[in-house]
Amino acid sequence: MVPSDRLLLGPGPSNPYPEATAALARPLLGHMDPEFLALLDETMARLRTVFRTRNALTLPISGTGSAGMEACFVNLLEPGDIAVVAVNGVFGNRMCEVAMRCGAEVVRVDEEWGKPLETENLIHAAKSYPHARLFAVVHAETSTGVENDIEPLAWIADTDTLLVVDAVTSLGGIPVDVDGWRIDACYSGTQKCLGAPPGLSPVTFSERAVARIKERAHPPQSWYLDLGLIADYVAGSQRVYHHTAPVSLVFALHAALGAILEEGLESGWARHRRVGERLQGALPDLGFRLIPHERHRLPQLTSAWLPKGADDAKLRKALLDTYGIEVGGGLGEFAGNAWRIGLMGHSARERSVTTLLGALRELL
């Protein structure tokens, strides 16, 4: 069966950059081959540029964004640690679940879905738990289309608490400044604004975070995600084997990052902003109601209530079957009543907006 050619406008995956797709066809190399290791080194250097960091421990974890999240939590938390987690959607909830499974005492800072996290509440929580091991925040909440402000939390770096940020949907689409915001651990996914296939999770760790990993009393609960071991493969002078890296996916990520850097980070952010605002300006005319307030809307991930009387499943099926366009349904309390429309990476183009709006006008 030949797979259908889709226009992927859901919350991920997005359509890969052509350079990333072409890279998948490169002849396979062994994961210890010097040629591959040189390309891996260059991929990590490109990730540092996109993360805007000089962190030595910056690499693509084998696995999707959820693997990057687990890598951060299992390496930085030990049983009995306090983890303060901000929650205003599905992925804040998920961080709580992972931290709990690490044996941490989880302190939630909740906000209503569809609304941004209040900076004052976050600062109050951080000051209320000065001995917390980490403070975790989602930058771009994929379940609601809300952008949470990270920069006001940079002062946490002056405490003993580590700042952990989920940038799965933000990296490559809107500004992410790991060093400028003094983030200690940050993770993302390749299948969204980075424009590569799913299967890798870029992560980066500050010197403070690396020191925490080295001074643990017990090894991380996950052998596969133990960064003390993985670091010996990606950065060690002897390149000690840990697991078989997904070589072709690294080829694709390397190529996608090349396309991003050739366009320029600022130009890419502006493109995502331009097409996202065009879509958001047109949806209300079709009966959709945008969920987040304008000041906190993600340009690359639009969440909107469905038009009155529209059937979520039937409308998405018609869009997929008739026009080959995929959009995402709502999660959690938004399920069945809202859509999540992604304009990410190579999919963040004027033609994507034009095609989607034309299809919706006919279907509605």
Side-chain angles (χ1 to χ4, degrees):
M1 178 180 177
V2 178
S4 299
D5 184 19
R6 305 293 198 198
L7 177 56
L8 299 176
L9 302 182
S14 62
N15 293 104
Y17 287 109
E19 295 90 338
T21 302
L24 290 171
R26 286 186 54 169
L28 194 64
L29 295 173
H31 58 283
M32 300 299 287
D33 188 305
E35 184 178 331
F36 170 70
L37 294 174
L39 183 137
L40 177 61
D41 287 343
E42 190 167 286
T43 301
M44 294 188 292
R46 291 179 176 185
L47 282 174
R48 290 185 190 97
T49 302
V50 175
F51 271 122
R52 303 178 93 180
T53 185
R54 299 175 67 181
N55 290 341
L57 189 58
T58 301
L59 69 146
I61 289 285
S62 301
T64 59
S66 295
M69 173 181 58
E70 290 222 25
C72 291
F73 282 82
V74 301
N75 282 279
L76 299 178
L77 286 175
E78 292 191 75
D81 285 343
I82 297 174
V84 181
V85 183
V87 181
N88 63 339
V90 165
F91 294 95
N93 269 328
R94 189 167 294 183
M95 290 197 296
C96 291
E97 175 70 18
V98 174
M100 181 190 69
R101 292 187 183 207
C102 293
E105 176 187 340
V106 177
V107 177
R108 296 172 59 107
V109 184
D110 283 285
E111 183 55 77
E112 183 180 342
W113 281 37
K115 292 186 177 180
L117 297 165
E118 292 290 342
T119 299
E120 294 79 5
N121 293 341
L122 298 181
I123 292 174
H124 175 74
K127 291 182 176 179
S128 298
Y129 294 90
H131 302 299
R133 176 63 65 189
L134 61 80
F135 193 107
V137 186
V138 178
H139 184 205
E141 179 50 76
T142 315
S143 63
T144 63
V146 168
E147 179 181 355
N148 294 311
D149 199 1
I150 305 298
E151 188 173 9
L153 302 176
W155 64 272
I156 290 177
D158 296 323
T159 72
D160 292 332
T161 302
L162 299 170
L163 179 59
V164 177
V165 173
D166 175 326
V168 170
T169 298
S170 56
L171 190 66
I174 56 176
V176 174
D177 190 354
V178 167
D179 285 359
W181 298 344
R182 305 174 76 187
I183 297 170
D184 289 296
C186 188
Y187 60 91
S188 188
T190 51
Q191 74 275 19
K192 303 204 180 198
C193 296
L194 294 182
L200 290 172
S201 177
V203 298
T204 185
F205 293 84
S206 70
E207 290 184 2
R208 289 203 321 153
V210 171
R212 165 62 184 152
I213 294 169
K214 291 180 177 179
E215 69 187 16
R216 292 177 60 98
H218 305 284
Q221 66 188 65
S222 171
W223 179 90
Y224 186 71
L225 297 174
D226 185 338
L227 286 164
L229 301 176
I230 295 173
D232 288 336
Y233 169 66
V234 300
S237 59
Q238 299 301 316
R239 298 287 196 176
V240 178
Y241 163 73
H242 181 256
H243 67 269
T244 302
V247 173
S248 294
L249 291 178
V250 176
F251 288 163
L253 174 59
H254 176 269
L257 293 169
I260 289 170
L261 296 177
E262 182 176 357
E263 180 182 14
L265 288 177
E266 291 80 5
S267 296
W269 299 334
R271 171 168 58 85
H272 282 83
R273 177 71 57 185
R274 183 174 63 253
V275 298
E277 289 181 348
R278 181 186 165 204
L279 174 68
Q280 291 165 5
L283 285 177
D285 293 336
L286 294 171
F288 289 88
R289 291 177 294 123
L290 301 174
I291 296 174
H293 188 279
E294 182 178 4
R295 289 188 295 117
H296 303 285
R297 265 177 222 150
L298 293 170
Q300 71 272 37
L301 197 287
T302 297
S303 63
W305 299 115
L306 288 166
K308 187 176 181 180
D311 185 292
D312 168 39
K314 289 182 179 178
L315 189 56
R316 280 193 291 124
K317 185 176 187 302
L319 194 62
L320 188 67
D321 292 346
T322 307
Y323 300 99
I325 301 173
E326 177 184 274
V327 298
L331 291 178
E333 59 192 71
F334 288 2
N337 299 308
W339 275 6
R340 295 174 298 148
I341 303 172
L343 294 168
M344 298 184 285
H346 186 54
S347 298
R349 307 288 182 187
E350 296 287 350
R351 64 176 177 266
S352 297
V353 181
T354 300
T355 303
L356 176 62
L357 293 175
L360 288 175
R361 288 189 183 104
E362 291 195 11
L363 291 175
L364 292 171

